[in-house]
Amino acid sequence: MDGELFNSGRIILITAPVDMRNGICGLCSLLSAWNVDPCGEDVWCVFLSRTRRIAKILHCDDKGVLLVDRRLTDHCFRKLAVRAAEAAAHPLTRQQLIDYLNGENME
């Protein structure tokens, strides 16, 4: 994955596990807990399954909604060490997201 899609906007990784049966509407409704309006701002929201083998990325623009599904076959997405006091929404840089989606460690 080369990251051409992620050239604009901020990127948020939702660190709490999400039921991957959720589609666009279900994922959008979950974002209200983190005060994120996916259709009101330029944001890429990354959701992970409980097993961290599946990631879904949600993005809205003036043309519609994009939902990307990334599945790792050999291993799982790395677990981030987030302090309990921090929110479950963790900001990422473009390069961190690309590395993360490729199953690499993030610096």
Side-chain angles (χ1 to χ4, degrees):
M1 179 164 273
D2 64 9
E4 285 296 316
L5 292 172
F6 314 114
N7 283 336
S8 69
R10 67 187 179 119
I11 301 166
I12 300 172
L13 173 66
I14 304 300
T15 58
V18 172
D19 184 347
M20 287 295 125
R21 293 175 291 181
N22 279 309
I24 291 171
C25 294
L27 294 175
C28 284
S29 67
L30 292 173
L31 289 173
S32 63
W34 295 284
N35 297 319
V36 175
D37 180 10
C39 295
E41 55 185 296
D42 191 11
V43 63
W44 297 86
C45 301
V46 182
F47 301 90
L48 298 174
S49 67
R50 183 185 51 78
T51 61
R52 297 189 329 272
R53 293 182 70 84
I54 303 171
K56 285 190 177 182
I57 305 165
L58 180 74
H59 180 73
C60 298
D61 62 14
D62 59 344
K63 306 233 186 309
V65 182
L66 173 71
L67 183 61
V68 178
D69 187 309
R70 174 76 163 169
R71 296 168 190 256
L72 294 180
T73 54
D74 294 335
H75 50 282
C76 61
F77 297 104
R78 304 285 183 222
K79 186 172 187 175
L80 291 179
V82 178
R83 290 186 297 244
E86 291 182 11
H90 185 75
L92 297 177
T93 66
R94 178 181 175 270
Q95 189 58 52
Q96 285 175 322
L97 176 60
I98 293 166
D99 292 346
Y100 195 72
L101 293 176
N102 286 325
E104 300 172 14
N105 284 325
M106 293 189 330
E107 299 296 326

